[in-house]
Amino acid sequence: MVLEVLFHQFVESCKKEFDMEYTLTFLEEDYDSLTSHLFDETGHEKAVYLLCSLSESNSENRLLVREVVYVSGEDVLNSSNKHMQIRSLSFLRAMKLATDMEMCFVFVHSHPQSMTTHSSQDDVEEAKLFKTAYIRINNSKLHASVVFSDKMSPIGRVWLKNNTTKPISKIRVVGKRFRFFTYMKEGDDIGIFDRQIRAFGKDMQILLSKLHVGVVGLGGTGSIISEQLIRLGVSELSISDGDSFENTNVNRVYGSKLSDIGKKKTEIINDLASQIGLSTKINVFDRSINYKSVATGFKSCDIIFGCTDDHLGRSILNRFPIHYLIPVIDMGVKIKSDGDKIESVEGRVTTLLPYSACLFCRGRLSAEHITAESLEAFNPEQAKERRRDGYIPELDETNPSVIPFTTNIASIAISEFLHRL
């Protein structure tokens, strides 16, 4: 029996490794600086080392570039447009730095345009290089190599501890533009999106068909975001909401009907995707982002839309650009009314990037409200006691919501998403 369990665990471990995706994410500034170094006026091969943190999920190991270390001229023994020889002291210094910073080690170098992938010489030299990396770098999590035949053609692979390689399936560049370099086949027929292709081209449609997008909150804005992403042809959606559908939701939740009362909002969006029939994969989290198990599930997204009303949920999403280099497009709609008169409608779309002002910096989050919501969600008795003693504020009552206004803001958020692509 014990042997049977161990064998099952071994098989599952092998399956997980086989199915695992490996990806690499750059900040735009680092990517542009790196490619300028690799392709200078000399035309000779150049190299850099990347020090990366590792974000792990059930389906993906994501290398996140934290520092670029340039190979200086004094460390290059000789080079031409077709070869380069680097002093061993150069990469040993970089490996020492990776150990000190508890980072993964990535070797990057340029190739002539005629050589778009790793060469047979790369295979031989890198096998020795990464064997050394796993010995010298104490954390020894994961290491990789990337070659560039031009500034827009990176090809990467990870080197595993057993000295075998796996392809890097996606390289992301996050900045004013969101760039994605993928190496998968085109996949399903995209002719059904002919009208969109006429607007922004075939390459854009193929890119949409490779993206994994998260939507947190499925109310007035989140349901609209979800439907538009499905109809745009995004291949995979992760959706999160812990609430069930009520009759007062029907005026603002897209895809819903009165007969859905009592259903989870996630179930309504999942049903909607099935009815539309575009084979969109839906990953359902029927609890809020405030749960660790849910938040962890969004680590494999390319981009996340924040459509939640609460400060606690937003504070969690606020971390994703910093910790995982995942852009978050956050939005909100606030209607102020007096009786039967609307006094104002405020709407915003905020794109959160690793180097931009966060929601705390922008004054969109309150530590007091986060504390109150945390207690209300996980210890309501203590929340009641502390509110009575004046230590935490009263939480807002249900806000007004009108579908044209939520639709407008959600559409602006989707336009921002397309603009950045």
Side-chain angles (χ1 to χ4, degrees):
M1 182 66 180
V2 173
L3 287 175
E4 185 179 338
V5 171
L6 289 173
F7 178 73
H8 176 73
Q9 290 174 343
F10 173 73
V11 170
E12 287 299 309
S13 174
C14 291
K15 183 176 183 295
K16 182 179 177 182
E17 183 172 310
F18 180 79
D19 293 337
M20 182 65 67
E21 264 198 86
Y22 299 93
T23 67
L24 178 66
T25 304
F26 288 90
L27 292 181
E28 187 174 57
E29 182 180 356
D30 287 336
Y31 185 88
D32 292 344
S33 176
L34 175 149
T35 52
S36 294
H37 172 80
L38 292 180
F39 298 99
D40 65 6
E41 65 281 354
T42 67
H44 287 195
E45 285 194 9
K46 294 289 178 66
V48 301
Y49 310 116
L50 306 177
L51 305 183
C52 301
S53 58
L54 182 63
S55 171
E56 299 174 272
S57 66
N58 290 332
S59 60
E60 180 184 352
N61 279 334
R62 185 179 297 214
L63 290 161
L64 309 174
V65 178
R66 300 299 185 180
E67 188 160 335
V68 181
V69 180
Y70 299 94
V71 177
S72 63
E74 62 188 29
D75 284 329
V76 178
L77 295 173
N78 57 74
S79 67
S80 72
N81 64 336
K82 293 182 179 179
H83 89 288
M84 177 178 52
Q85 186 179 7
I86 302 171
R87 295 179 192 274
S88 59
L89 183 61
S90 173
F91 60 76
L92 291 176
R93 281 197 304 262
M95 290 178 188
K96 174 65 165 59
L97 195 56
T99 298
D100 293 344
M101 298 176 64
E102 299 184 351
M103 295 284 181
C104 303
F105 170 79
V106 180
F107 176 63
V108 183
H109 70 287
S110 59
H111 267 183
Q113 284 192 335
S114 58
M115 176 63 70
T116 58
T117 61
H118 290 87
S119 67
S120 56
Q121 187 64 27
D122 291 335
D123 296 342
V124 173
E125 297 300 328
E126 287 185 6
K128 295 183 285 186
L129 177 67
F130 289 103
K131 184 177 181 180
T132 301
Y134 276 108
I135 293 170
R136 287 193 168 258
I137 301 174
N138 294 340
N139 66 322
S140 294
K141 291 181 178 178
L142 188 68
H143 308 301
S145 68
V146 181
V147 295
F148 282 80
S149 56
D150 62 54
K151 291 185 177 184
M152 299 297 287
S153 300
I155 297 284
R157 61 187 179 185
V158 296
W159 282 85
L160 305 177
K161 284 187 178 180
N162 61 6
N163 220 29
T164 60
T165 64
K166 295 281 187 179
I168 292 177
S169 59
K170 185 181 290 183
I171 295 178
R172 306 174 181 87
V173 181
V174 177
K176 290 184 178 178
R177 282 188 64 194
F178 303 153
R179 284 177 275 178
F180 299 88
F181 303 100
T182 62
Y183 310 106
M184 295 172 283
K185 292 182 179 179
E186 185 173 310
D188 297 334
D189 179 24
I190 59 172
I192 196 169
F193 299 102
D194 175 68
R195 296 294 186 95
Q196 286 176 194
I197 293 170
R198 290 173 185 270
F200 45 58
K202 182 179 179 181
D203 288 345
M204 176 71 158
Q205 192 61 52
I206 293 173
L207 172 57
L208 288 169
S209 75
K210 306 302 180 191
L211 291 183
H212 179 186
V213 180
V215 183
V216 177
L218 300 174
T221 54
S223 62
I224 302 163
I225 292 287
S226 298
E227 176 157 355
Q228 291 198 31
L229 289 171
I230 293 166
R231 293 189 185 278
L232 281 168
V234 168
S235 67
E236 186 172 358
L237 283 187
S238 286
I239 57 174
S240 163
D241 199 306
D243 292 338
S244 296
F245 186 77
E246 300 174 355
N247 61 353
T248 57
N249 299 144
V250 77
N251 75 309
R252 64 194 183 94
V253 174
Y254 276 53
S256 69
K257 47 193 180 297
L258 282 174
S259 59
D260 289 327
I261 293 171
K263 276 187 178 181
K264 287 285 191 181
K265 289 181 180 177
T266 50
E267 187 181 352
I268 292 171
I269 298 302
N270 199 19
D271 290 346
L272 176 65
S274 298
Q275 292 161 12
I276 293 172
L278 291 174
S279 303
T280 310
K281 180 183 178 183
I282 306 291
N283 305 314
V284 173
F285 298 92
D286 57 6
R287 294 203 291 181
S288 76
I289 194 74
N290 304 340
Y291 288 86
K292 182 179 178 181
S293 58
V294 177
T296 301
F298 281 78
K299 287 167 62 177
S300 58
C301 293
D302 294 309
I303 297 163
I304 300 173
F305 285 88
C307 308
T308 182
D309 292 334
D310 63 309
H311 286 243
L312 178 57
R314 280 199 171 106
S315 72
I316 293 168
L317 288 176
N318 195 51
R319 297 179 175 208
F320 273 77
I322 300 164
H323 289 283
Y324 309 118
L325 307 188
I326 301 174
V328 172
I329 301 176
D330 186 65
M331 69 205 75
V333 183
K334 185 176 182 179
I335 300 173
K336 186 178 179 181
S337 63
D338 180 14
D340 58 356
K341 179 183 177 184
I342 291 179
E343 295 183 346
S344 65
V345 179
E346 298 177 19
R348 65 166 182 84
V349 174
T350 307
T351 302
L352 302 175
L353 299 170
Y355 51 79
S356 67
C358 72
L359 290 175
F360 280 105
C361 302
R362 298 169 189 262
R364 300 295 182 185
L365 289 177
S366 157
E368 285 186 338
H369 275 80
I370 293 168
T371 302
E373 290 171 359
S374 299
L375 287 173
E376 193 67 51
F378 302 110
N379 196 337
E381 284 303 313
Q382 188 181 357
K384 185 178 180 181
E385 191 176 307
R386 294 190 68 181
R387 188 171 293 113
R388 185 187 63 225
D389 296 338
Y391 289 112
I392 59 175
E394 293 286 344
L395 295 179
D396 295 335
E397 296 181 0
T398 303
N399 294 318
S401 180
V402 183
I403 198 167
F405 305 141
T406 53
T407 300
N408 282 340
I409 295 303
S411 294
I412 290 170
I414 288 290
S415 297
E416 166 75 355
F417 163 73
L418 293 173
H419 172 66
R420 297 246 177 203
L421 294 176

